Amino acid sequence: MKTRILSLAASAALALGSHCTLAQAAGVNRLVIRADQPGATISKHIYGHFSEHLGRCIYEGIWVGEDSPIPNTRGIRNDVVAALKRIKVPNLRWPGGCFADEYHWKDGIGPREKRPKIINTHWGGVVENNHFGTHEFMDFCEMIGAEPVVCGNVGSGTVQEMMEWVEYMTSDADSPMANLRRQNGREAPWKLRYFAVGNENWGCGGNMRPEYYADVYRRYNTFIKNYSGNRVYRIACGASDSDYRWTEVLMSQAARHMNGLSLHYYTLPTGSWSGSKGSATLFDEAQWFATLRRTLRMQEFVVKHSEIMDKHDPQKRVGLIVDEWGTWYDVEPGTNPGFLYQQNTLRDALVAGINLNIFNNHADRVKMANIAQMINVLQAVILTDKEKMLLTPTFHVFEMYTVHHDAKLLPTELTSADYEQGDAKIPGLSVSASRDGAGVLHVTVCNLNPNQPAELTCELRGAKPQNIAGRILTAETMQAHNTFDVQEKVKPATFSDCKLTDGGFSATLPAKSVVVLELR
Ligand code: AHR
């Protein structure tokens, strides 16, 4: 049995009828890369991250305070900054998540010892001392070279509060909020391109109906000003999963007031928010399969929300911003259930590789995405244990995929053997391809099957590379992960089971692997 996957860009570019023979060669994986028909630019912002005041993401993960024995610069841990620079984090979303709609930004400015302590009612009911606020967040973004993505409080905040926050961050005038910023030690305004008007306002952000939120969005957005030459890219709260009505209403009633509309989709192995979601590390092949199958639903959500957006915005001016995605398992035994701390295995690497391939392949509409979350929460790229730090398999996928940042998407047509489990089946491979500014082609391929290697034959149209090289992320077991004691169990290695052919290349992709190929 075969499954055909066609990227959107490819479906526009290719005459499908001429490729029907591809599906006939049973057991063979065939790929056509249209280097002669480059598509949209893959925005580097697809590789964005998310940091919420949740569990140990901000506190300990990023912020340890200036007096900490953990080496830090102005309170921000040095090991984390150095690691994040390796994956070229393009943007960072903050302060939530659900926390955003109960965050009052003035609590987080001024002398730290005077900042009010509040209770983080969403996440564990712990004390939030507000030591990490606007200045610390902007400092962290500058250290790692990321653009800030600030999410404003619609659910429990006022229009005035949101308006003043933007003025505080971006105005150079002799005005009350700009002067307050100067009083707090920052003379020049920050550059703030991305600002989101609320988070999940259909749920934790206010339980609003789309018609109501569309009006609320229009009102709040009116007062977000472009101060001192700063131009704000305005992101409206979008749908969860398959809530297409939300997208329809927002696009029909508020599209002209926004630059981006968000989408949230988490991979739950069970597909259900109630009951156990399963362990991050103790799982069998059925759960591996279920997790990857549910990850592939991202394709369906991106396509269907995009179709609605296309109807209202055929020019594709409004970006689809997938600003929360990733795996969501049971927390690690013995940890606070409100902290959402989970380990990260080779399975998560596959989830990351598949999602990022989907976003790349829809780069004409997907302009930003943010994995949830950066450190110590959900599908983290970094885990810390006090002074210790480890890089997860997901980190390595982000590092391997940096080659796609701002590269031109190359449409692909993939015919792959299925990976079957019982009565169910999914495509055995996931792929995306791009050409960077220097003319180098990169192909990222995931082999979802944990038992079988995949022979891949690729026809490359419009390019004749002289060299092929590769890197691979795999491990002996599906459950392989890095621990604070054994930190490099899962890490990238050189991949050499690939060669150039007359019309392209061929490769043998090991079971359960993520591979990046470079053709120059
Ligand atoms: O990422 C954890 C939570 O998931 C976020 O706070 C919320 O937006 C989503 O429901």
Side-chain angles (χ1 to χ4, degrees):
M1 295 296 284
K2 311 295 264 178
T3 301
R4 165 169 284 188
I5 315 169
L6 204 60
S7 70
L8 266 195
S11 57
L14 298 173
L16 293 182
S18 64
H19 292 283
C20 56
T21 53
L22 287 179
Q24 291 164 2
V28 177
N29 302 291
R30 302 284 307 267
L31 175 66
V32 179
I33 299 179
R34 297 302 304 259
D36 56 340
Q37 295 192 355
T41 296
I42 297 171
S43 172
K44 66 178 178 182
H45 291 291
I46 282 175
Y47 292 83
H49 291 253
F50 171 35
S51 59
E52 180 167 11
H53 288 245
L54 194 179
R56 294 181 299 114
C57 182
I58 299 289
Y59 298 108
E60 186 188 310
I62 297 169
W63 177 260
V64 289
E66 289 163 336
D67 300 330
S68 171
I70 298 172
N72 69 85
T73 303
R74 295 184 294 281
I76 291 167
R77 53 190 298 170
N78 295 343
D79 53 356
V80 162
V81 169
L84 291 171
K85 281 183 176 170
R86 289 179 52 199
I87 55 172
K88 300 182 183 160
V89 176
N91 69 70
L92 181 59
R93 179 174 183 251
W94 173 83
C98 294
F99 183 80
D101 280 281
E102 57 183 46
Y103 182 61
H104 299 285
W105 67 271
K106 285 184 183 167
D107 290 349
I109 56 171
R112 279 186 211 109
E113 66 282 1
K114 291 196 177 151
R115 295 184 193 175
K117 292 187 175 61
I118 60 163
I119 300 299
N120 189 333
T121 61
H122 266 292
W123 305 116
V126 294
V127 174
E128 158 67 58
N129 64 16
N130 278 305
H131 281 193
F132 191 88
T134 303
H135 292 250
E136 292 79 11
F137 170 67
M138 292 296 195
D139 197 14
F140 179 52
C141 286
E142 283 174 0
M143 283 185 201
I144 61 173
E147 284 202 50
V149 181
V150 173
C151 185
N153 179 347
V154 169
S156 70
T158 64
V159 177
Q160 181 182 358
E161 185 180 2
M162 189 179 285
M163 179 177 181
E164 287 184 342
W165 198 8
V166 176
E167 180 192 338
Y168 185 90
M169 292 185 281
T170 63
S171 173
D172 202 17
D174 180 10
S175 71
M177 290 303 114
N179 287 333
L180 182 58
R181 184 194 66 240
R182 293 186 185 102
Q183 201 180 305
N184 288 327
R186 172 81 187 195
E187 178 58 36
W190 290 284
K191 177 173 173 282
L192 174 69
R193 183 143 60 122
Y194 298 108
F195 192 88
V197 182
N199 167 76
E200 296 195 352
N201 300 96
W202 37 260
C204 65
N207 282 307
M208 302 176 197
R209 290 166 294 112
E211 292 81 1
Y212 180 75
Y213 173 74
D215 278 348
V216 168
Y217 171 82
R218 289 168 61 131
R219 176 171 175 231
Y220 275 67
N221 176 60
T222 305
F223 300 95
I224 296 169
K225 309 286 184 187
N226 291 320
Y227 296 102
S228 312
N230 184 70
R231 286 200 71 78
V232 179
Y233 183 101
R234 295 135 197 276
I235 302 171
C237 164
S240 174
D241 309 357
S242 61
D243 185 356
Y244 301 117
R245 201 175 97 74
W246 184 279
T247 299
E248 174 62 39
V249 173
L250 264 289
M251 287 303 292
S252 63
Q253 298 185 12
R256 71 191 171 89
H257 302 280
M258 66 176 79
N259 301 105
L261 181 63
S262 71
L263 169 66
H264 289 183
Y265 174 55
Y266 284 98
T267 300
L268 279 65
T270 59
S272 167
W273 289 101
S274 58
S276 167
K277 298 176 189 66
S279 161
T281 54
L282 304 172
F283 58 87
D284 58 16
E285 189 181 340
Q287 288 163 300
W288 164 280
F289 179 87
T291 305
L292 300 191
R293 186 159 69 115
R294 294 211 157 82
T295 300
L296 288 164
R297 291 205 71 195
M298 183 64 90
Q299 163 86 8
E300 166 196 335
F301 298 141
V302 165
V303 167
K304 289 191 177 165
H305 285 289
S306 295
E307 279 169 7
I308 296 166
M309 295 175 81
D310 285 350
K311 198 172 74 182
H312 298 279
D313 173 35
Q315 305 302 320
K316 300 186 192 293
R317 187 191 60 78
V318 179
L320 182 59
I321 310 294
V322 190
D323 56 14
E324 288 187 31
W325 67 270
T327 50
W328 194 314
Y329 308 120
D330 292 343
V331 298
E332 287 304 306
T335 65
N336 187 327
F339 281 15
L340 308 185
Y341 175 73
Q342 64 190 39
Q343 251 292 359
N344 194 292
T345 68
L346 184 63
R347 175 174 60 164
D348 295 271
L350 270 292
V351 169
I354 293 167
N355 273 315
L356 293 169
N357 280 341
I358 292 170
F359 302 148
N360 288 347
N361 286 329
H362 297 88
D364 59 339
R365 181 64 82 176
V366 178
K367 298 299 176 190
M368 181 189 287
N370 304 74
I371 189 168
Q373 298 192 5
M374 186 180 241
I375 306 172
N376 291 332
V377 171
L378 299 175
Q379 193 177 346
V381 293
I382 290 177
L383 300 178
T384 65
D385 179 11
K386 302 183 189 68
E387 77 287 355
K388 295 184 193 159
M389 182 196 83
L390 68 80
L391 309 177
T392 67
T394 300
F395 175 96
H396 294 303
V397 173
F398 270 80
E399 187 273 317
M400 291 164 71
Y401 277 56
T402 53
V403 294
H404 290 306
H405 290 201
D406 287 338
K408 280 273 178 206
L409 175 69
L410 299 180
T412 51
E413 184 184 356
L414 174 66
T415 307
S416 73
D418 289 327
Y419 164 32
E420 300 187 21
Q421 264 278 300
D423 293 341
K425 60 173 191 268
I426 56 177
L429 298 178
S430 152
V431 70
S432 68
S434 69
R435 175 161 44 213
D436 69 15
V440 182
L441 270 55
H442 292 101
V443 187
T444 44
V445 197
C446 305
N447 182 359
L448 283 56
N449 192 317
N451 308 310
Q452 302 288 332
E455 302 290 339
L456 177 67
T457 308
C458 175
E459 179 191 344
L460 193 51
R461 298 199 194 152
K464 191 86 185 128
Q466 303 301 308
N467 284 298
I468 184 166
R471 292 170 73 214
I472 184 168
L473 190 73
T474 188
E476 277 175 25
T477 66
M478 295 180 284
Q479 302 83 0
H481 57 280
N482 297 330
T483 66
F484 294 104
D485 293 330
V486 184
Q487 301 207 356
E488 299 202 338
K489 184 140 187 137
V490 188
K491 64 171 183 180
T494 301
F495 175 71
S496 47
D497 215 347
C498 52
K499 62 174 191 291
L500 293 173
T501 58
D502 271 354
F505 67 87
S506 65
T508 304
L509 307 158
K512 51 179 168 17
S513 65
V514 179
V515 168
V516 56
L517 297 170
E518 179 184 280
L519 298 128
R520 46 170 87 230

